[in-house]
Amino acid sequence: MRRTIFAMLGLLVLLTGCYGAHNAGTPDSPHYEQGLVDKAAVVVRGMRQDPSFKHIEVYLKNAKGVLVLPSVIKAGFIYGGQGGNGVLLARGADGSWSAPAFYTLGGGSIGLQIGVQEASIVLVFMNDKAFKAAIDTGLTLGADATAAAGTVGITGEVASTHAFKDVYYFADVGGLFAGISLEGGAIGVREGLNRTYYGKTITPREIVLDRKVQAPAAQMLKDALTVPVKGK
């Protein structure tokens, strides 16, 4: 399984070397990491304000963590591959959000809709097992964790997270909810981006669970995940 994940992530490095994240720069750009963080904030804020994504609220309220990918590219001419970089944050028991760790989502079987070449995607982790697996070893959606599109919200208060799938995902294509499949998508860490952003070698667990670093420049993203949306 790990060999499969690493193969998918190798493809993703190729993809993200060719495509930036919505003008955030290339992965070797000094502003690339902060660009991803800022774009992630825009994506989350946009979804929370859009009635098409109203169900995201109940998932965020019960989430263990989120992975926000501002730009997932469909590159059919490269072995049918897809992929994109993003940021992963943990939600604390008090509702606060951690600093971001940089991750990828890649895989040849990710199914963007016909005609859709790019989407902004938010994955919401609903239990500790799946979230910690993503942090420590990476995981493949549909194999290591159950995943479902967040098209139908769970209304009312949820007594426990056992009613949820492991991961729910929301995909935005120009303000519209895109029906996609992330089965086979591999989630893995981008160690180089984390090292560049924090100025030292640091593990995702130290960033999002142990909270050994602060990220003042990520406050806009934390606010986008936390601050109540007007009218809701």
Side-chain angles (χ1 to χ4, degrees):
M1 182 61 67
R2 287 189 178 185
R3 183 176 298 176
T4 300
I5 292 176
F6 292 147
M8 290 179 176
L9 294 180
L11 170 62
L12 180 57
V13 170
L14 176 62
L15 287 169
T16 52
C18 297
Y19 299 95
H22 288 297
N23 300 321
T26 59
D28 57 355
S29 164
H31 304 296
Y32 179 75
E33 293 82 8
Q34 188 59 49
L36 275 179
V37 173
D38 293 342
K39 291 294 183 181
V42 172
V43 168
V44 172
R45 187 166 58 244
M47 284 191 182
R48 293 187 66 205
Q49 292 174 343
D50 189 335
S52 299
F53 298 90
K54 63 181 180 181
H55 298 311
I56 198 172
E57 293 296 323
V58 69
Y59 294 113
L60 289 176
K61 183 179 179 180
N62 291 277
K64 298 300 180 182
V66 298
L67 173 60
V68 185
L69 301 131
S71 177
V72 174
I73 298 290
K74 182 175 183 178
F77 61 92
I78 307 179
Y79 304 110
Q82 292 85 23
N85 290 326
V87 289
L88 181 144
L89 299 85
R91 180 179 175 276
D94 61 354
S96 66
W97 291 90
S98 71
F102 294 88
Y103 273 75
T104 65
L105 172 69
S109 60
I110 297 175
L112 295 183
Q113 283 181 316
I114 295 175
V116 174
Q117 300 300 318
E118 183 177 17
S120 299
I121 298 176
V122 175
L123 294 93
V124 187
F125 294 84
M126 305 310 300
N127 59 59
D128 285 322
K129 182 179 179 180
F131 186 54
K132 290 180 179 179
I135 292 172
D136 292 333
T137 62
L139 58 80
T140 299
L141 298 174
D144 303 322
T146 60
T151 52
V152 180
I154 298 176
T155 59
E157 293 296 326
V158 178
S160 66
T161 57
H162 76 274
F164 292 106
K165 297 287 187 181
D166 294 328
V167 182
Y168 287 87
Y169 49 88
F170 298 81
D172 182 5
V173 179
L176 300 176
F177 195 113
I180 67 172
S181 171
L182 296 186
E183 292 289 314
I187 296 172
V189 65
R190 290 301 304 269
E191 295 177 353
L193 299 184
N194 286 319
R195 184 167 53 250
T196 299
Y197 192 67
Y198 291 105
K200 60 182 179 180
T201 298
I202 188 168
T203 67
R205 178 173 281 268
E206 290 174 324
I207 297 170
V208 303
L209 294 183
D210 300 338
R211 301 199 179 195
K212 290 187 176 181
V213 290
Q214 301 296 320
Q219 190 59 49
M220 184 170 67
L221 174 55
K222 295 180 183 181
D223 289 344
L225 288 163
T226 307
V227 176
V229 176
K230 293 182 179 180
K232 292 189 177 182

